[in-house]
Amino acid sequence: MSNLDRQPALSACGGRGFVVAEPVRELLSPRTVKLGESTEVRRLLPNLGRRMVGAWCFVDHYGPDDIADEPGMQVAPHPHSGLQTVSWLHEGEVLHRDSVGSLETIRPRELGLMTSGRGISHSEESPRPHARFLHGAQLWVALPDAHRDVEPHFQHHADLPTVTAPGLTATVILGTLDTATSPGTAYSPIVGADLTLAAGTESRLPLDPDFEYAVLSMSGETHVDGVPVLPGSMLYLGCGRTELPLRAASDASLMLLGGEPFEEEIVMFWNWIGRSHHDIAQAREDWMNGTRFGEVKGYDGPPIPSPELPPTHLKPRGRVR
């Protein structure tokens, strides 16, 4: 999924200076963004109050949307570099095409992991015909400098490991949780997990105190360390936790996101991550000139042109109050 904002900000993120080194309970409100013809998303990261959680640097939550009489998701070819995209569905299907020749239908609780590296382009669309409802999340992971120019590739994993406790199932999407490790390739210490809780469940999830964490509510109501978290909202949890108390007020689903604080300072603009304004300007020129990012074959429609690059002034990192 893309950032389709036609006037995106050039933003600086990363660095440890604004990481909260102790446990906190910081509730983040989403910003509503239109995506394509009929899909509206709730953007949680980057947020005015929080730019990153570990290497996680972009989080959209969408649905559940009734698209029975709608085209559903229709995102034309667009570029990425310097990051990984994580596609995660609870309902519906998304057809992924990319410029390295991948063609894959991603279904609920299957991992679609695209590593853009030095540059890739892709499209995403609801199949025809498609399921009535569409509900999921799209997330980006910033690649560390040592790996940001790797060869672009796509991975699809239909079977993922789980961690279970009474009333709780945690599917490990990326990285390691407790004793389970995802088959998806990770380039920094990270975790992403889908948590499903039955109504009335009380549990404590083991965490790594060196990681910072956040929880995105997908459905239902869960009290996370005593804070009620409703669908489409995210609770930032800081660092220093060895476990996370959870209590489900109803059947509920959450996404747990965490990782070592991202030490490097990065620059984000549109669908690219670099280390300088020059990196972004070069990526934009390459996309507009038809080089570097390849061609998405089989998509019925033109690619998305890049918005204009703003001046070099960058928004401040970390918290903005």
Side-chain angles (χ1 to χ4, degrees), residues 83-85 113-120 143 147 150-155 185 187:
L83 56 89
Q84 294 176 289
T85 65
L113 177 64
M114 186 179 75
T115 300
S116 67
R118 59 178 174 78
I120 197 171
L143 290 171
H147 301 288
V150 299
E151 285 296 308
H153 58 276
F154 178 77
Q155 295 174 270
T185 302
Y187 291 90

Side-chain angles (χ1 to χ4, degrees), residues 30-184:
R31 177 169 63 95
T32 301
V33 178
K34 192 73 174 177
L35 186 73
E37 298 177 31
S38 59
T39 303
E40 193 173 77
V41 304
R42 291 165 288 280
R43 184 151 298 161
L44 282 309
L45 287 181
N47 191 291
L48 284 178
R50 181 63 46 193
R51 301 292 190 190
M52 297 180 71
V53 177
W56 300 99
C57 60
F58 183 95
V59 177
D60 276 353
H61 172 248
Y62 54 91
D65 295 327
D66 187 340
I67 59 170
D69 299 316
E70 302 288 342
M73 185 180 293
Q74 297 294 324
V75 182
H78 57 278
H80 288 285
S81 60
L83 56 89
Q84 294 176 289
T85 65
V86 176
S87 299
W88 190 252
L89 289 169
H90 276 196
E91 294 182 272
E93 298 177 336
V94 172
L95 179 63
H96 166 96
R97 303 176 193 264
D98 63 41
S99 56
V100 298
S102 308
L103 177 62
E104 192 69 59
T105 300
I106 302 167
R107 297 178 173 84
R109 291 180 169 83
E110 298 179 353
L111 172 61
L113 177 64
M114 186 179 75
T115 300
S116 67
R118 59 178 174 78
I120 197 171
S121 56
H122 75 138
S123 65
E124 293 172 292
E125 55 188 316
S126 296
R128 302 170 189 168
H130 54 67
R132 178 174 180 177
F133 292 102
L134 181 65
H135 182 205
Q138 181 74 21
L139 313 97
W140 296 356
V141 178
L143 290 171
D145 190 61
H147 301 288
R148 67 186 177 106
D149 290 324
V150 299
E151 285 296 308
H153 58 276
F154 178 77
Q155 295 174 270
H156 175 245
H157 296 286
D159 296 313
L160 296 168
T162 59
V163 175
T164 60
L168 168 68
T169 299
T171 302
V172 184
I173 301 167
L174 199 63
T176 299
L177 178 66
D178 197 17
T179 58
T181 299
S182 166

Side-chain angles (χ1 to χ4, degrees), residues 203-216:
S203 189
R204 290 180 176 268
L205 197 67
L207 301 181
D208 184 332
D210 293 331
F211 281 16
E212 61 177 339
Y213 289 96
V215 168
L216 167 66

Side-chain angles (χ1 to χ4, degrees), residues 27-30 44 61 215-218 228-235:
L27 195 62
L28 305 180
S29 298
L44 282 309
H61 172 248
V215 168
L216 167 66
S217 176
M218 297 290 287
V229 185
L230 298 177
S233 61
M234 175 181 283
L235 183 68

